[in-house]
Amino acid sequence: MRRHIPALLRAVLLTGLLLAGTGHAAAPLSELKLFKATPMGQGLWRMELVSSDDPQMRMGAAAMGQAGLCMDVSKQINKSSQVEDPRCTPKVLRNTDSEAEIEVSCKDGGSSRMLMTRESEKSYLMDTTVSKDGKQRSFKVRYTHAGACKGDAMMQLDKNSPMCKMDPARMLGRCASLPESARAQCEQQIKGLAAACQ
């Protein structure tokens, strides 16, 4: 599997898990005025990387093609993995009908700041800056509500995307060359990607 794809997935999924959060994270985020018309924590949201200062993230976006995030599944994952002492804590800095700004502080020293702007009734632009170990990276992602989820996978990819056209047997073959401790995780990720192709 190409290295730039997991980096993009982590960044995008962090945003999705945060916005579909439950428990501790949900308290401040459920009060965002921005999402009163179209709740961010429901249904399928198409994602489009608008810009990024990270070339690997741009390459990952091209490989993923048209991707969607099923917030219903994301919410279920959050419920099943919820802990009392979360690793990251969101704080709402701005909360209006057209904009929301959130700062997220994590126990590993990392932090991020998201400025979310409503573009239309079903479209939102998220401008995110992530900071960790003295380094920063910024990216903008457009999320557009696309109705109900089409499957049970959290990530839902276009079956014609470059990622979905990769040979699963060849990708699983690469897992076989990894140490035993990492092999099962590699195989699980590839099977998850296959399930995501719609």
Side-chain angles (χ1 to χ4, degrees):
M1 190 186 309
R2 299 173 187 174
R3 291 182 182 178
H4 53 260
I5 294 172
L8 174 65
L9 288 175
R10 279 194 301 273
V12 171
L13 291 178
L14 173 63
T15 303
L17 287 168
L18 175 68
L19 292 171
T22 57
H24 183 83
L29 299 181
S30 64
E31 298 170 5
L32 292 180
K33 298 175 183 177
L34 189 66
F35 301 122
K36 282 188 176 178
T38 307
M40 190 70 179
Q42 298 175 9
L44 180 65
W45 288 82
R46 294 288 178 201
M47 301 173 296
E48 173 195 355
L49 183 66
V50 177
S51 65
S52 172
D53 58 8
D54 184 343
Q56 290 189 336
M57 187 173 279
R58 294 194 299 268
M59 291 170 66
M64 285 173 58
Q66 189 179 53
L69 185 63
C70 178
M71 292 295 186
D72 301 325
V73 175
S74 178
K75 189 176 289 186
Q76 289 303 316
I77 290 173
N78 265 7
K79 282 181 181 177
S80 64
S81 64
Q82 186 180 345
V83 291
E84 290 184 10
D85 192 16
R87 290 179 294 170
C88 297
T89 304
K91 179 181 179 182
V92 178
L93 305 177
R94 188 184 316 170
N95 187 7
T96 72
D97 291 338
S98 59
E99 280 189 342
E101 188 172 6
I102 296 174
E103 185 176 67
V104 181
S105 301
C106 298
K107 294 190 174 183
D108 63 2
S111 65
S112 61
R113 186 173 286 229
M114 289 185 293
L115 176 62
M116 296 175 277
T117 307
R118 181 199 303 275
E119 292 187 312
S120 70
E121 186 180 338
K122 294 187 176 183
S123 177
Y124 300 87
L125 186 65
M126 300 197 186
D127 191 347
T128 304
T129 300
V130 178
S131 304
K132 190 172 182 184
D133 300 328
K135 297 179 181 178
Q136 279 193 343
R137 89 178 164 213
S138 299
F139 55 94
K140 290 183 183 179
V141 177
R142 176 174 289 114
Y143 287 82
T144 305
H145 190 249
C149 298
K150 297 181 179 178
D152 296 329
M154 183 166 63
M155 284 294 299
Q156 300 189 3
L157 308 176
D158 180 1
K159 64 182 178 182
N160 295 317
S161 66
M163 184 182 292
C164 289
K165 288 183 176 179
M166 292 181 187
D167 182 5
R170 185 177 174 188
M171 293 170 70
L172 285 170
R174 291 181 185 173
C175 294
S177 65
L178 294 174
E180 188 174 341
S181 58
R183 194 177 306 150
Q185 183 179 3
C186 176
E187 291 173 353
Q188 185 177 6
Q189 287 177 343
I190 289 171
K191 289 174 183 175
L193 285 174
C197 295
Q198 301 293 317

